[in-house]
Every structure is written in structure tokens, then in C-alpha cells.
Amino acid sequence: MEKVNLDNKTILVTGGAGFIGSNLIKRLIADTKGTTIVNIDNMNSYYDVSLKEYRLKELERVVPAGIKYFFVKGDIADKALIDKLFAEYQFDVVVNLAAQAGVRYSIENPDAYIMSNMMGFYNILEACRRSLDYARDDKGDSVISTNVEKSQPYRGVQHLVYASSSSVYGGNKKVPFSTDDRVDNPVSLYAATKKSNELFAHCYSKLYDIPTTGLRFFTVYGPAGRPDMAYFGFTNKLLKGETIKIFNYGNCRRDFTYVDDIVEGIVRVMQGAPERKKGEDGLPIPPYAIYNIGGGQPENLLDFVNILQEELVRAGVLPSDFDFEAHKELVPMQPGDVPTTYADATALERDFGFTPKITLREGLRKFAEWYKEYNNSLG
């Protein structure tokens, strides 16, 4: 493993107005020195854009002196824009979190997944490849960087970290899910695009010696999260007096992971790039890695709903006499869903000394308190 010091580096975070991306940037702003951070997001309307704007305002509010932060409204599927950004900023580290999310939406709108998750990721990989070519090219000074000053010769992208998903495990019966398991049977287009990302990354690592690390996230939740996720959607519906649908009659188990744990994992992984080595044939051994990031404590969906309702009452989002039973409906499994997700995160602990630690009750309490404050601010 090659150590990557993030201080004084130029870092690209794609999808930085999103849930995980905005929290990652906030952490990088707080913990790095002399860093230039570029955030690109297309601000699409998959869910309420005002929430993305809220996250961006939170970031602008915390940027200190000594950190350069730039937001670019744009799409990673726009190849010309991505090429322009890589030429102007000469990124050292790239974290690709931009993607069309959601299992169910992939059934309704597959085009969005092909453009963002496939073409967008391809554009990022190609730009990383060209960054290495540029760094090796004696004529590299023909590309003018107008936004950053490098204290040392540019080496190209030293590490590409990208978001995969626990969805790649599909209907695997063996639990916990290990990165050693075969993942050749996706049950949604979203899962197929994420598995394709891993294959693309492996290919580019092998052919062009690009250090890449994929992170399979397990059901990320927390304050200012995605409204299409169960905990957020349930809260919105309960507040309106609507009925929530609990799929598979409540017989689902999810390995929920609080967003701060996800960010801690990403930051540690960013600083440990897979080592570049040559094989016996003289060709690169792919500097490629995959890790699960999950709590390792799958929770029954009914237990999850009970904890959520308790914390919503505690935070004052819902009244203490709210009739939850009258607002719950048990329904069959939906297409694209799986009954269980369960992360084996031993490799992450072995290589980076980290295992997610925040319990579901702690995390839902923080969400409920944030929701109360955010909802009040909307009037």
C-alpha cells in the first residue's frame, strides 16, 4: 500500500452536493491543510434540489482560510467538461461518488443510470489515464493549470476512490457478504452498473497502472440524507399522517451504516492507495482493491421502524401519542430488492484499522434531531 498524504493536494469529489459527498468534503475541509477541493455535481431533480442546495450552503459556511474550495455545476457524463477540469486543476486524488442512485428508480428510468454510472465513470477513468500520460510527457507544460500551483512536478492521479454498492451482491444467499464472493447475478440495473464500475476500474488499473479502490457501501443513513431512503421517506410520510409500507412483510434485514462511519472509511482509504508493482511478465499487477463498508450488524426492518419512531417522538418530530400501528402496512417484496444485506468488513479493519462503530439508535437519534431543526427552518 502506498501512503497518500492529503495535505496540499488537489482533490476532486464528484457528487459533492449529494449526501455522502457533502459530508466527505466537510471532513476534508476540517482535517486537511493547504488543500484544493473541487466539487462537481449536476444538481439533478431525482429528489428535492433544495436539500442539495442546503448541503452546499453548509459547505460554504465552514470553508476556512488556507483551503481552496470550488463548486462546479456540471455532469460527469459531459466528457469535455471533465477533460477541462482535469487539465485546469491537475488532480492528485479523485473520489467518484456521482451516480444515479436507487434500485427501484433504475427500473423506471434506466437511461439515467447508463449515462451517469457508466458513461460518467468511463469519463473519469479516461481523465485519470490521461493525467498519468501528461505527468510522464516531457511536453506536459503545454497544458496550463490556471487554478492551482504545484510545489512538486505533477505525478498524475495518485488514487481513484469510487463508490460501489452492496447491491452488487444481488440475491447471494451466503452471509455476511465478502468481497471474495462472486457477484455475477445482479437483480437491478443499478447493481449491474456498479459491478460494471468495478470491472472498468480493474481494466484501467491493469492497463494503465492507475491505483483504484472501490467501496461497497451498505445502506447509508444520517442527517441531510437522501429522501428516497426508507428512514427519511418514512419520516416524511408519518409527519403527513400517511401510511408507510414495510416490504417483505417486515422480513428484511439491512446493514445500516451511519454517514460519519462511511466518511471515516473513505478518508482512510484515500490515504492508502493500492501499491504499483510489476508481475513476472513485466506488466503491471493491477493496483486495485475493493472493500465493504458496513456496520456488520444487520437490523430487522421492523426493529428499525420501532427505533425510528421512538427517536422521532423523543426529538419532538411526532407527538408522544402518535398511533404508529394505524400508519404501518406490511406488503410483499418489491422487484429489485433483496431480503438481506450484511457486510463482512474484516478487510477494511485489517488494512485500515477501522470498523464502523455508530449504533442504529445513535444514528437515528442524530437524524431525528436534525430533521426537527431542518423542518422548522422550512416553516
Side-chain angles (χ1 to χ4, degrees), residues 151-169:
S151 59
Q152 297 178 346
Y154 183 49
R155 296 170 51 197
V157 172
Q158 297 171 38
H159 195 190
L160 166 62
V161 180
Y162 63 95
S164 185
S165 168
S166 62
S167 297
V168 301
Y169 290 107

Side-chain angles (χ1 to χ4, degrees), residues 61-72:
R61 189 174 59 80
V62 298
V63 177
I67 298 290
K68 293 180 180 178
Y69 168 73
F70 302 94
F71 172 69
V72 177

Side-chain angles (χ1 to χ4, degrees), residues 313-341:
V313 168
R314 180 185 177 278
V317 175
L318 295 173
S320 58
D321 61 350
F322 190 87
D323 186 355
F324 287 97
E325 292 305 316
H327 293 85
K328 288 192 287 193
E329 181 185 359
L330 302 181
V331 298
M333 183 77 86
Q334 286 194 121
D337 268 356
V338 296
T340 300
T341 64

Side-chain angles (χ1 to χ4, degrees), residues 2-6 159 266-273 352:
E2 296 181 4
K3 296 294 183 183
V4 179
N5 185 338
L6 300 181
H159 195 190
I266 296 173
V267 170
R268 293 195 186 203
V269 168
M270 287 171 70
Q271 298 174 82
F352 295 96

Side-chain angles (χ1 to χ4, degrees), residues 119-253:
M119 292 303 300
F121 189 57
Y122 162 75
N123 289 341
I124 294 293
L125 285 167
E126 272 290 288
C128 289
R129 175 182 71 82
R130 284 192 294 276
S131 81
L132 297 181
D133 290 344
Y134 167 63
R136 297 173 183 136
D137 188 352
D138 290 340
K139 298 178 182 179
D141 59 1
S142 62
V143 177
I144 300 172
S145 174
T146 58
N147 289 290
V148 292
E149 294 181 5
K150 297 288 184 182
S151 59
Q152 297 178 346
Y154 183 49
R155 296 170 51 197
V157 172
Q158 297 171 38
H159 195 190
L160 166 62
V161 180
Y162 63 95
S164 185
S165 168
S166 62
S167 297
V168 301
Y169 290 107
N172 281 21
K173 299 280 192 281
K174 171 187 162 292
V175 292
F177 297 153
S178 167
T179 52
D180 294 328
D181 297 341
R182 291 182 66 87
V183 286
D184 298 328
N185 300 290
V187 297
S188 69
L189 180 63
Y190 171 69
T193 63
K194 287 301 184 180
K195 174 58 180 173
S196 297
N197 286 174
E198 296 178 2
L199 294 172
F200 283 13
H202 186 277
C203 177
Y204 272 71
S205 290
K206 174 65 176 175
L207 290 176
Y208 307 114
D209 214 18
I210 302 170
T212 68
T213 302
L215 299 176
R216 293 174 178 170
F217 300 142
F218 281 70
T219 315
V220 189
Y221 74 102
R226 278 175 30 213
D228 62 317
M229 297 294 285
Y231 69 100
F232 206 139
F234 285 176
T235 301
N236 286 338
K237 287 187 174 183
L238 292 172
L239 193 60
K240 295 175 185 175
E242 298 175 2
T243 299
I244 61 174
K245 293 182 178 181
I246 302 175
F247 295 103
N248 202 30
Y249 307 103
N251 297 316
C252 286
R253 298 168 74 225

